[in-house]
Amino acid sequence: DQQVKQNSPSLSVQEGRISILNCDYTNSMFDYFLWYKKYPAEGPTFLISISSIKDKNEDGRFTVFLNKSAKHLSLHIVPSQPGDSAVYFCAAVFGNEKLTFGTGTRLTIIP
Amino acid sequence: DAGVIQSPRHEVTEMGQEVTLRCKPISGHNSLFWYRQTMMRGLELLIYFNNNVPIDDSGMPEDRFSAKMPNASFSTLKIQPSEPRDSAVYFCASSPQRYEQYFGPGTRLTVT
């Protein structure tokens, strides 16, 4: 059973516009959420995170929003840049360090 | 720091052969994780260690898979015998006892 879901396998966005990546989860025990970015032939790299006690966390062009009642989080990238083209994974965790990842969304920024 | 180091980067082997993947975590990190990435299932956690002790191996697919961490600077993931359905990218990650994990570049395994 997939506890963390990314229902959009791919997304294309024009350079300079906003990219919005979505993630849904089913386990209400999750208390910390992370986004990772992955380029081809490289391992995922940590991007941004949010605790369940918050509903928003911002870091430069990246903002993560958490809606606990809907069990939904999203990553906003604005403005989108060509270097943002990558696969984005959301992940969730509770209690210990065991992350549960979604299947990823491939973001393509169109120049 | 060089980051998490994995070897080999690519491995091609025939069905039935033993495969050993290696990982050197970031110095000072207490936890080490082995993941497998496939198109269908994304990133799956296979096993993780804390202070060299296996904590959760519930993601290990079957008895053909085994992992060891003999010391704080080295871990192996072994598949014996290997099967074509084991073909995937295997990632090792380490963590300094926080949620943010640092991933290695991965080993692309192809079993023919």
Side-chain angles (χ1 to χ4, degrees), chain B residues 1-111:
Chain B
D1 199 313
V4 176
I5 299 172
Q6 289 187 248
S7 64
R9 292 295 310 274
H10 302 273
E11 177 78 38
V12 180
T13 191
E14 291 183 349
M15 182 174 63
Q17 297 297 307
E18 177 180 297
V19 175
T20 299
L21 310 182
R22 296 172 176 79
C23 175
K24 176 176 168 48
I26 294 173
S27 177
H29 283 193
N30 298 75
S31 299
L32 182 141
F33 307 80
W34 281 102
Y35 290 89
R36 178 171 65 178
Q37 182 188 12
T38 61
M39 288 294 291
M40 292 299 296
R41 300 176 69 88
L43 273 166
E44 298 176 275
L45 178 65
L46 300 176
I47 185 171
Y48 84 93
F49 297 83
N50 186 264
N51 293 321
N52 311 340
V53 176
I55 302 300
D56 185 342
D57 65 354
S58 59
M60 296 287 261
E62 47 198 272
D63 291 346
R64 298 183 299 106
F65 285 69
S66 62
K68 294 181 180 180
M69 191 165 186
N71 57 61
S73 59
F74 183 66
S75 178
T76 59
L77 177 68
K78 185 176 293 186
I79 309 172
Q80 165 65 17
S82 57
E83 296 181 2
R85 60 191 168 118
D86 301 331
S87 297
V89 181
Y90 291 80
F91 289 101
C92 174
S94 68
S95 171
Q97 211 87 59
R98 285 184 54 87
Y99 294 140
E100 291 86 6
Q101 297 177 12
Y102 297 78
F103 283 76
T107 295
R108 181 173 295 277
L109 173 65
T110 303
V111 183

Side-chain angles (χ1 to χ4, degrees), chain A residues 48-101:
Chain A
I48 192 169
S49 62
I50 188 168
S51 165
S52 61
I53 63 173
K54 296 184 176 181
D55 54 18
K56 177 183 175 181
N57 187 27
E58 189 173 351
D59 183 3
R61 296 186 297 114
F62 302 91
T63 303
V64 56
F65 294 93
L66 176 62
N67 182 334
K68 288 187 291 294
S69 60
K71 294 191 179 70
H72 177 84
L73 69 155
S74 60
L75 174 68
H76 292 211
I77 307 172
V78 55
S80 301
Q81 299 174 354
D84 297 329
S85 294
V87 177
Y88 290 79
F89 291 95
C90 67
V93 62
F94 71 92
N96 56 25
E97 301 169 295
K98 181 177 174 180
L99 295 180
T100 301
F101 282 87

